[in-house]
Amino acid sequence: MRRYRLRVPAAEAEPALVRMLDLFPGGVEEERDGDDVVLAGYADEAPADGLESDEVEPGWEDRWRAYHRPVTVGRIWVGPPWSPQPAGGAWPLPIVIDPGRAFGTGGHGSTRAALELLQRLEPCPALDLGCGSGVLAIAAARLGFGPLACFDRDPLAVGATAENAERNGVALDVSLADVLVDPLPSAPLWIANLELGLLRSLLERPDLPPRILVSGLLDPETVGGGERVVAGGWAAEIVER
Ligand code: SAH
């Protein structure tokens, strides 16, 4: 495991943070150093060129946690277990996510865009395809969607989603599956935060539901959907059939 650093002048911290969160969806550290800001993330291999890196000291897992910060999207507040929850009122729907080593603190632009679109839909039964930490399905449950079934091809994600569902007291049916080829149960809505190539394959399935909330498009990519939200350079769309 190495710690990858990007140093930028403080005035450029915002776009740099967006870029770093895309490279390190699990979380990015942010430290002020004089007129600069140093952004850092952890990975086994360099996710991009041009980042300085150091071998990490023991205890890095606890260190990066200090930087995994809560986000609010509309009526949904998403925070880590070690962050104090908002005190009622403004954020009626707190959800607590420990992504572990699965994707999805809630902070990634593609997740935020999906959370925003989700809040514009009427609650109904749904599938979360590529659930990662389970953040989208858990938010959906809080918003009244259900029953909800979650699928991921990564066993770490299946475990993280099951744990996060329990932590939030929501009922999710979580399974290991390749959502491009494996059989899926029937539901009127699919939620899929994947990348363009995977979304295109998914949209070729013969058993598509009437409505699909797709995310993970790098703006201005599109799958030709209707209503669209962009966050941090990532886009989500509603595909109606
Ligand atoms: N829904 C979460 C995670 C999105 S990351 C969020 O919005 O934050 C995309 C997830 O899709 C990853 O967990 C990855 O393991 C999973 N994934 C990618 N391709 C897949 C496939 N073919 N079948 C199932 N899961 C897949």
Side-chain angles (χ1 to χ4, degrees):
M1 184 69 58
R2 296 185 73 81
R3 180 172 184 265
Y4 292 89
R5 280 175 287 124
L6 179 67
R7 173 184 290 272
V8 293
E12 292 164 26
E14 187 77 38
L17 179 61
V18 168
R19 174 168 171 240
M20 287 292 278
L21 276 170
D22 291 343
L23 297 173
F24 303 94
V28 172
E29 297 178 2
E30 197 176 347
E31 272 165 21
R32 188 80 193 217
D33 183 11
D35 290 337
D36 292 343
V37 167
V38 178
L39 301 169
Y42 295 89
D44 290 320
E45 285 168 36
D49 293 335
L51 300 173
E52 291 173 59
S53 74
D54 309 302
E55 194 62 40
V56 293
E57 68 281 17
W60 68 273
E61 293 95 336
D62 295 330
R63 187 184 149 100
W64 82 261
R65 284 178 166 225
Y67 294 89
H68 170 14
R69 287 173 303 181
V71 293
T72 302
V73 181
R75 293 154 63 209
I76 299 281
W77 177 95
V78 186
W82 52 89
S83 167
Q85 288 189 33
W91 298 280
L93 305 171
I95 71 177
V96 175
I97 296 291
D98 187 343
R101 300 196 69 182
F103 181 103
T105 60
H108 195 263
S110 64
T111 310
R112 286 186 282 125
L115 286 171
E116 171 75 44
L117 269 186
L118 194 57
Q119 294 176 59
R120 300 186 190 172
L121 299 178
E122 272 303 307
C124 64
L127 310 184
D128 182 356
L129 306 179
C131 54
S133 64
V135 56
L136 293 178
I138 291 165
R142 276 279 191 280
L143 291 164
F145 290 78
L148 287 151
C150 302
F151 302 88
D152 205 291
R153 66 176 171 196
D154 178 354
L156 284 173
V158 170
T161 295
E163 272 174 32
N164 283 318
E166 196 177 329
R167 192 190 308 277
N168 286 279
V170 307
L172 301 180
D173 189 357
V174 194
S175 314
L176 190 67
D178 183 332
V179 303
L180 302 183
V181 296
D182 289 337
L184 296 172
S186 164
L189 173 69
W190 290 3
I191 303 166
N193 181 7
L194 300 166
E195 62 196 57
L196 180 62
L198 296 173
L199 291 170
R200 285 203 174 122
S201 307
L202 182 73
L203 292 172
E204 278 166 18
R205 283 187 67 118
D207 54 350
L208 295 178
R211 184 177 269 171
I212 306 148
L213 191 170
V214 306
S215 194
L217 299 165
L218 252 176
D219 190 44
E221 288 173 353
T222 177
V223 290
E227 200 161 355
R228 179 176 168 99
V229 166
V230 178
W234 295 84
E237 287 179 355
I238 305 278
V239 178
E240 308 268 6
R241 300 182 52 260

